[in-house]
Amino acid sequence: MVRVRFAPSPTGYLHIGNARTALFNYLFARKNSGKFILRIENTDTERSKKEYEESILEDLKWLGLSWEEGPDVGGPFGPYRQTERLQLYRDYANKLVSEGKAYRCWCTKEEIEKRRSSGDQQNSGYDNYCRNLSVSQISSFQAEGRNPVIRFRVPDKKVVVNDIIRGTVIFEAGTLNDFVIMKSNEIPTFHFAVVIDDLSMQITHVIRGEDHLSNTPKHILIFEALGCNPPAFAHMSMTLGTDRTRLSKRHGATSVRQYRENGYLAEAMFNYLALLGWSSKDNQEIFSKQQLIEEFSLQACNKSNAIFDPAKLLWLNALYIRKKSSSEIFEISLPFLEKAGYSKSELEQHKKIIEKVIDVEKEKLKTLQDIPERTGYFISEDISWNSEIEKKVKIPEFEKTLSEISDLLKTIEPFEKSVIEATIRRFCEERNLKCIEVFNPLRFVLTGQTKGAGLFEMIELIGKQRCIKRIENFLKLKTG
Ligand code: GLU
């Protein structure tokens, strides 16, 4: 049975690159009818925060991922937070020490550094000083009250990583120093905790970022020292910005949360992340979740780094918005409308109109954040006019023209797009005005904007009374 895990460190919001790692693990688990496990790697107690853990879980769920085992749902191999598993790591470390595969090291950082800088050693790190201490040396360290770390005794051998994505990678373990597996405060290092967890949680495949490839020989050596077969490894290429540097804040939004708050749909994000470093045989780009599960394979993952292109994500987002019904879009855009200042009851009251507007505007929507701006003037009773924009909008004889249009609107029955259009066009003809001279200014007066849905459709949706009132208000404002 396939068992894979996503093991985030809760030291920040869910990064796009990590979300992609989670997604690939998820797809692989679902494709193989296996289990997807969520494990929180919080042994860096200074940088780990509960609030980040919560936000990571929330964002993974928002993205549409679900897991069979994890800190929130429990499971047979729990607990799923490393700080709750400390005894297990200590037991394993002691076992390795008793078998001579690890040993206590009493050196201080300063001592190691001093020996390193004074000696002619090739090694840049630890010199394995405490490997073979005598009993009396140990007792004198103890007598000094030193707290030891536990180091892994690295054997001098080749370590072969048969990576599913990268092929065979060979490391000379001899070049590694004996590394720390338990710190002096009895907290395991990342390398040790990850192996003990993967072992005890019966993980079959470790799918993670390529930045961990150089750690893998250490992990394999620990598995071997414990007499166990390591899981299969698949190191995914990294996610870079369009300038081919590691994706960072410089590139704009880099967390799933930011995209979610910026009005992106989970489906679009899910689809886009799957395309980062993986492609189907025929280069198809639009996939439902189910299709991705069916098509996904680790073998089809690229070795070369993936480029995160926000423009493509935006394009996909617009496409997914268009696929939704207006009432679905209305529901998911409520938080954005509320944030823009509209009350729940106001929104409920204008639901039908907003849905109609969404229908009309759908082709132009790129994110859910566009919705308040594009629908606001249909919801509010009154609107305001930005005097800067107004300077660009010239209305010929505006007072007279607007009053006449207002009178005209009063007579239109039924107040429907086609009748409104015919009436206003006729008016322009009779008054010898160019349509363009009237349409754009009228749009501005009625909506406070210079762009938007089709003018006559919009007039119909705003409704007769509100249109008349807006013209009146505008005239009052201009003529005092
Ligand atoms: N906690 C590690 C990270 O966030 C993941 C380790 C792993 O997947 O083995 O990079």
Side-chain angles (χ1 to χ4, degrees):
M1 146 94 84
V2 161
R3 289 179 56 84
V4 292
R5 78 325 188 254
F6 174 56
S9 305
T11 54
Y13 290 113
L14 181 65
H15 186 271
I16 296 284
N18 286 338
R20 172 179 163 244
T21 305
L23 189 114
F24 280 36
N25 274 285
Y26 170 86
L27 292 175
F28 185 73
R30 294 291 170 268
K31 161 102 187 208
N32 294 289
S33 310
K35 297 261 190 276
F36 178 46
I37 292 127
L38 180 66
R39 178 170 82 221
I40 298 295
E41 302 209 326
N42 59 351
T43 51
D44 181 347
T45 44
E46 265 168 37
R47 289 173 59 225
S48 297
K49 296 218 160 57
K50 190 81 190 156
E51 97 189 60
Y52 289 134
E53 178 187 320
E54 281 162 10
S55 71
I56 291 172
L57 262 69
E58 204 180 291
D59 291 345
L60 289 170
K61 282 184 197 155
W62 172 79
L63 200 55
L65 304 190
S66 55
W67 44 94
E68 284 68 47
E69 298 169 32
D72 55 338
V73 291
F77 300 91
Y80 292 89
R81 244 180 235 109
Q82 288 186 330
T83 46
E84 292 165 22
R85 303 168 62 79
L86 297 177
Q87 194 51 48
L88 184 73
Y89 310 127
R90 289 171 193 159
D91 292 346
Y92 271 105
N94 289 334
K95 176 172 150 47
L96 288 178
V97 172
S98 66
E99 291 170 357
K101 293 171 180 163
Y103 59 89
R104 295 202 163 76
C105 163
W106 311 80
C107 301
T108 63
K109 268 202 191 96
E110 293 71 25
E111 286 166 345
I112 297 172
E113 179 54 29
K114 199 164 156 213
R115 290 200 300 271
R116 200 185 64 76
S117 52
S118 64
D120 54 1
Q121 302 156 25
Q122 302 294 308
N123 262 340
S124 55
Y126 181 63
D127 56 359
N128 302 348
Y129 184 86
C130 292
R131 254 194 185 197
N132 302 303
L133 294 180
S134 64
V135 178
S136 70
Q137 279 173 304
I138 294 178
S139 358
S140 76
F141 282 136
Q142 276 170 331
E144 283 178 43
R146 296 192 186 205
N147 284 327
V149 299
I150 297 179
R151 287 186 184 270
F152 183 74
R153 192 185 295 270
V154 177
D156 190 6
K157 60 177 287 199
K158 273 193 173 56
V159 183
V160 180
V161 182
N162 287 315
D163 192 278
I164 300 174
I165 299 172
R166 322 207 73 80
T168 303
V169 190
I170 299 172
F171 293 87
E172 284 296 341
T175 60
L176 296 174
N177 305 306
D178 290 350
F179 56 88
V180 177
I181 54 174
M182 288 298 270
K183 296 183 238 174
S184 57
N185 58 2
E186 293 196 276
I187 304 278
T189 57
F190 156 69
H191 299 299
F192 196 56
V194 98
V195 170
I196 301 306
D197 287 345
D198 287 342
L199 175 68
S200 56
M201 293 180 181
Q202 298 182 9
I203 299 302
T204 57
H205 296 73
V206 169
I207 306 169
R208 60 185 174 191
E210 198 199 340
D211 49 341
H212 285 295
L213 181 60
S214 58
N215 296 327
T216 305
K218 292 184 181 168
H219 300 175
I220 291 180
L221 288 172
I222 302 175
F223 275 108
E224 288 176 353
L226 292 166
C228 304
N229 287 329
F233 288 97
H235 286 92
M236 303 162 47
S237 60
M238 301 310 290
T239 310
L240 308 181
T242 42
D243 59 358
R244 289 175 194 267
T245 61
R246 189 105 177 245
L247 194 62
S248 72
K249 294 214 164 56
R250 277 184 307 119
H251 297 101
T254 51
S255 68
V256 169
R257 179 149 300 218
Q258 275 168 301
Y259 276 96
R260 175 182 168 184
E261 286 173 358
N262 290 346
Y264 284 71
L265 301 192
E267 295 96 312
M269 191 61 136
F270 193 103
N271 190 153
Y272 184 63
L273 289 177
L275 301 179
L276 288 176
W278 171 84
S279 47
S280 71
K281 281 177 226 94
D282 51 5
N283 282 326
Q284 182 183 335
E285 294 201 303
I286 314 298
F287 288 94
S288 69
K289 191 196 241 182
Q290 202 45 44
Q291 282 172 322
L292 281 170
I293 292 172
E294 278 157 29
E295 297 256 334
F296 183 79
S297 85
L298 287 173
Q299 281 73 16
C301 289
N302 298 327
K303 272 193 218 168
S304 48
N305 289 327
I307 308 292
F308 178 75
D309 177 4
K312 184 152 183 193
L313 173 57
L314 186 65
W315 168 77
L316 258 182
N317 200 54
L319 193 127
Y320 272 91
I321 290 181
R322 287 203 290 279
K323 280 186 176 196
K324 286 204 178 289
S325 72
S326 305
S327 64
E328 278 173 313
I329 300 177
F330 173 75
E331 289 305 325
I332 53 176
S333 63
L334 283 175
F336 296 88
L337 287 160
E338 281 175 39
K339 205 163 160 217
Y342 303 106
S343 69
K344 275 201 174 71
S345 59
E346 200 172 22
L347 292 168
E348 210 36 59
Q349 183 193 340
H350 293 289
K351 185 171 183 237
K352 283 276 152 306
I353 289 201
I354 303 173
E355 285 182 4
K356 265 196 191 163
V357 178
I358 290 173
D359 237 354
V360 174
E361 297 269 305
K362 219 190 235 173
E363 295 294 316
K364 296 186 207 113
L365 294 173
K366 292 207 157 44
T367 73
L368 299 177
Q369 243 179 358
D370 296 341
I371 293 181
E373 191 191 319
R374 291 190 177 268
T375 58
Y377 49 84
F378 294 96
I379 308 171
S380 312
E381 216 30 54
D382 297 316
I383 55 160
S384 56
W385 297 273
N386 179 329
S387 53
E388 283 311 302
I389 302 180
E390 194 190 329
K391 281 183 201 144
K392 294 186 219 145
V393 186
K394 294 270 172 294
I395 311 172
E397 297 177 80
F398 84 89
E399 207 176 333
K400 179 159 174 272
T401 314
L402 282 177
S403 310
E404 284 175 3
I405 292 180
S406 175
D407 290 340
L408 212 58
L409 290 178
K410 285 178 197 157
T411 65
I412 298 179
E413 214 48 71
F415 201 71
E416 276 167 13
K417 179 176 129 182
S418 56
V419 192
I420 302 167
E421 175 164 6
T423 314
I424 295 183
R425 282 188 189 277
R426 202 175 328 112
F427 165 81
C428 293
E429 235 168 75
E430 284 167 10
R431 290 281 317 275
N432 243 338
L433 290 165
K434 287 200 196 100
C435 290
I436 189 100
E437 287 178 316
V438 175
F439 291 3
N440 288 345
L442 187 59
R443 174 190 293 282
F444 177 71
V445 172
L446 293 177
T447 66
Q449 320 245 347
T450 50
K451 298 192 291 268
L455 176 66
F456 305 106
E457 212 156 18
M458 218 181 53
I459 294 178
E460 178 188 328
L461 289 174
I462 294 174
K464 187 190 274 191
Q465 293 318 321
R466 280 199 294 179
C467 285
I468 293 168
K469 194 160 159 243
R470 285 180 191 184
I471 295 177
E472 254 170 38
N473 289 346
F474 185 81
L475 285 173
K476 254 191 241 153
L477 191 77
K478 295 294 137 196
T479 56

